[in-house]
Amino acid sequence: MAGVRERARQELLAEILRLARQQLADGGASSLSLRQIARDLDMVSSAIYRYYPSRDDLLTALIIDAYNEMGAAAEQADASAVERGKNPRQRWLAVTEAMRAWAAKNPADYALIFGSPVPGYRAPDDTIAPATRLPRVLVGLLQTEHVEHAMSIAGPSIPRSIRANLKTIAADSGVPETVLLRGLTCWVQAMGLISFELFGHLHNVIDDKGVFFSLQMEQMADFVGFR
Amino acid sequence: MAGVRERARQELLAEILRLARQQLADGGASSLSLRQIARDLDMVSSAIYRYYPSRDDLLTALIIDAYNEMGAAAEQADASAVERGKNPRQRWLAVTEAMRAWAAKNPADYALIFGSPVPGYRAPDDTIAPATRLPRVLVGLLQTEHVEHAMSIAGPSIPRSIRANLKTIAADSGVPETVLLRGLTCWVQAMGLISFELFGHLHNVIDDKGVFFSLQMEQMADFVGFR
DNA sequence: TGTACATCAGTGAACGCGCGTTCACTGATGTAC
DNA sequence: TGTACATCAGTGAACGCGCGTTCACTGATGTAC
């Protein structure tokens, strides 16, 4: 019966990741401890190495997990908005609300990917693909909007080096570069606001953070040119 | 001769802070070690406690230092722009460039104050005043601009709770609330961009980060209503 | 179907580190009379 | 100006923790003939 051992292995891999996320939530990346995980599992510490070859590999798994979860939350919010017959602007707003909600529910995971980098850790290339999942949703929305009503913004001329980058971001989407540039602004604004809120920089500045976020996202929807 | 001991004390306080910043730069907040500082000073580890009663107090000193430095950098950039006869818009741009430059030169200090909070550490109230130094410069610029050419933005109506907060931010400045709201957007955008750049989220997205930042800040200057 | 062998999960001990904080102390520097 | 006392900087030892990683090993599970 091939798969009995394999299934147990998968379960333990997942269980270790779950405990690791718990630790992350309790004390941040620096308090992620293989020995503590082993203790939680009633295992000897060296046994963990059967599953993750090092602490850094476990960290990588956590990062990938976080990107995927946040990306999935965005995708789901969008899909659900589509189902409810929403237009691209409303979908954009729904997605940003979902981003904020996910971050609020998983502050440690959010901090892991959008906070200060873990010192001494260099993310391997495996993290790239999951990281693009969320931005992909946002670019997709610009594209949809552009197809429905041509977007255009009379902006300042964009330097050549930046234009090249913008082309790479959404090569064949047809979305004008000025709009893409503002799309980046919106993305940064959303993440910036979430970070400010989670990291305490709105403390004693803005009381109703939810209302504030929505208001800002409405503004950004106008700014980028959603109808 | 009162002051001989006192001067030595002040020097050591500063020296410890300097070494602590060095450690911060080398390995982040989690690798800040009182014992290592003692070693660098050729002292026994317990001697540090004559100067900082605990590791957290040293962290607080670092945070206050970082806020003050960044605030001072902004103030200087503004003062220097004034000297060169710049208008408020140009001053705003100069200040944001200075913010970015400071962060680029002191990434660890920047990460300490605008990255993920140090787990288990709660900033005491002493950090509040230094933290307001930079935003104060930005609000001042809005006010100056408003005095020179009345600013006004036909924005969406602002919910009551947010209006109350905006009033607190710049009570007697006379700057319209819609403008203040967008001022917050600009602030978040500037810090968000700096964080994205420093924390690696523009890697493989934007090559010329300096040009990108300037371009975005020009856009934000328009957005908030600088002439 | 039964046996021999290979694979792999988990053990237990060890290596070599690190840390913050407390406490009783010595000896030098400053202060009051 | 000189002496007695108080203050304070720095010592050294100890307490009680923590960590990642390696390595030779046992014993159970799976595989091939």
Side-chain angles (χ1 to χ4, degrees):
Chain A
M1 194 107 313
V4 156
R5 237 207 297 238
E6 188 56 22
R7 211 179 315 149
R9 185 179 175 76
Q10 293 308 322
E11 266 171 34
L12 256 175
L13 275 167
E15 183 66 5
I16 290 172
L17 205 62
R18 201 186 61 75
L19 289 168
R21 288 190 72 183
Q22 191 54 55
Q23 283 191 17
L24 202 65
D26 291 345
S30 62
S31 72
L32 174 66
S33 154
L34 298 189
R35 291 186 103 107
Q36 183 56 51
I37 291 173
R39 250 173 263 132
D40 292 347
L41 286 169
D42 277 318
M43 271 180 166
V44 99
S45 65
S46 51
I48 303 296
Y49 287 80
R50 289 268 164 216
Y51 299 91
Y52 292 94
S54 78
R55 188 178 180 273
D56 274 8
D57 287 276
L58 182 53
L59 250 181
T60 299
L62 281 170
I63 289 172
I64 290 175
D65 205 44
Y67 274 126
N68 270 324
E69 277 217 9
M70 198 175 185
E75 287 164 8
Q76 274 169 34
D78 188 35
S80 144
V82 168
E83 258 179 37
R84 282 172 290 134
K86 303 295 187 181
N87 68 21
R89 181 200 180 89
Q90 293 165 322
R91 286 164 63 190
W92 149 261
L93 293 173
V95 168
T96 58
E97 295 291 339
M99 285 159 54
R100 175 169 177 269
W102 182 85
K105 215 179 236 167
N106 307 276
D109 301 84
Y110 178 86
L112 183 64
I113 51 182
F114 286 104
S116 0
V118 180
Y121 171 84
R122 240 193 72 75
D125 290 350
D126 316 32
T127 58
I128 295 179
T132 60
R133 219 166 136 177
L134 186 141
R136 210 179 289 276
V137 175
L138 302 179
V139 172
L141 283 173
L142 288 182
Q143 193 169 0
T144 308
E145 173 75 9
H146 184 63
V147 168
E148 294 188 15
H149 330 91
M151 299 172 93
S152 84
I153 282 167
S157 77
I158 302 177
R160 191 152 0 109
S161 69
I162 305 295
R163 298 182 62 159
N165 290 136
L166 292 173
K167 272 219 166 65
T168 310
I169 293 173
D172 44 4
S173 68
V175 180
E177 284 158 7
T178 47
V179 174
L180 276 179
L181 180 67
R182 290 197 171 191
L184 276 175
T185 315
C186 292
W187 179 41
V188 169
Q189 186 70 24
M191 305 310 287
L193 266 177
I194 294 171
S195 293
F196 260 44
E197 180 179 348
L198 249 58
F199 300 167
H201 293 287
L202 295 185
H203 189 65
N204 286 337
V205 178
I206 299 296
D207 290 319
D208 198 335
K209 278 123 189 155
V211 169
F212 184 65
F213 183 81
S214 307
L215 187 62
Q216 292 281 18
M217 289 305 110
E218 291 272 3
Q219 275 205 134
M220 294 322 278
D222 291 340
F223 181 70
V224 78
F226 278 114
R227 280 236 188 144
Chain B
M1 195 107 312
V4 155
R5 245 218 279 249
E6 189 55 23
R7 211 180 315 151
R9 185 179 175 76
Q10 292 309 320
E11 265 170 36
L12 256 176
L13 274 167
E15 184 66 5
I16 290 172
L17 205 64
R18 199 185 62 75
L19 289 168
R21 290 190 71 182
Q22 190 54 55
Q23 282 190 19
L24 201 67
D26 291 345
S30 63
S31 73
L32 175 66
S33 154
L34 297 188
R35 290 186 104 108
Q36 183 57 52
I37 291 172
R39 252 174 262 131
D40 293 347
L41 286 169
D42 279 316
M43 269 180 165
V44 100
S45 65
S46 50
I48 303 294
Y49 287 79
R50 288 269 164 215
Y51 299 92
Y52 293 94
S54 78
R55 188 178 180 274
D56 274 8
D57 287 277
L58 183 51
L59 250 182
T60 300
L62 281 170
I63 289 170
I64 290 176
D65 205 44
Y67 274 126
N68 270 324
E69 276 216 11
M70 199 175 186
E75 288 164 8
Q76 273 168 34
D78 189 34
S80 142
V82 168
E83 257 179 36
R84 281 172 292 132
K86 303 294 186 182
N87 68 21
R89 180 199 180 90
Q90 294 164 321
R91 286 164 62 190
W92 149 261
L93 294 172
V95 167
T96 57
E97 295 291 340
M99 285 158 55
R100 177 169 176 269
W102 183 86
K105 215 180 235 167
N106 307 276
D109 301 85
Y110 179 85
L112 183 64
I113 51 182
F114 286 102
S116 1
V118 180
Y121 171 83
R122 239 192 73 77
D125 290 349
D126 317 32
T127 58
I128 295 178
T132 60
R133 218 166 137 177
L134 186 142
R136 208 180 289 277
V137 175
L138 303 178
V139 172
L141 283 173
L142 288 182
Q143 193 169 0
T144 308
E145 172 76 7
H146 184 63
V147 169
E148 293 187 14
H149 329 92
M151 298 171 95
S152 85
I153 283 167
S157 77
I158 302 176
R160 192 154 358 110
S161 69
I162 305 294
R163 298 182 62 159
N165 290 135
L166 292 174
K167 273 219 165 66
T168 311
I169 291 174
D172 44 4
S173 67
V175 179
E177 285 159 8
T178 47
V179 174
L180 276 179
L181 181 67
R182 292 198 169 191
L184 277 175
T185 314
C186 292
W187 179 43
V188 170
Q189 187 70 23
M191 305 310 286
L193 267 177
I194 292 171
S195 294
F196 260 45
E197 179 179 347
L198 249 58
F199 299 166
H201 293 286
L202 294 186
H203 190 64
N204 286 337
V205 179
I206 299 295
D207 291 318
D208 197 336
K209 279 125 187 153
V211 168
F212 184 65
F213 183 81
S214 306
L215 186 62
Q216 292 281 19
M217 290 305 110
E218 290 272 3
Q219 275 203 137
M220 295 321 278
D222 292 340
F223 182 70
V224 79
F226 278 114
R227 281 236 187 147

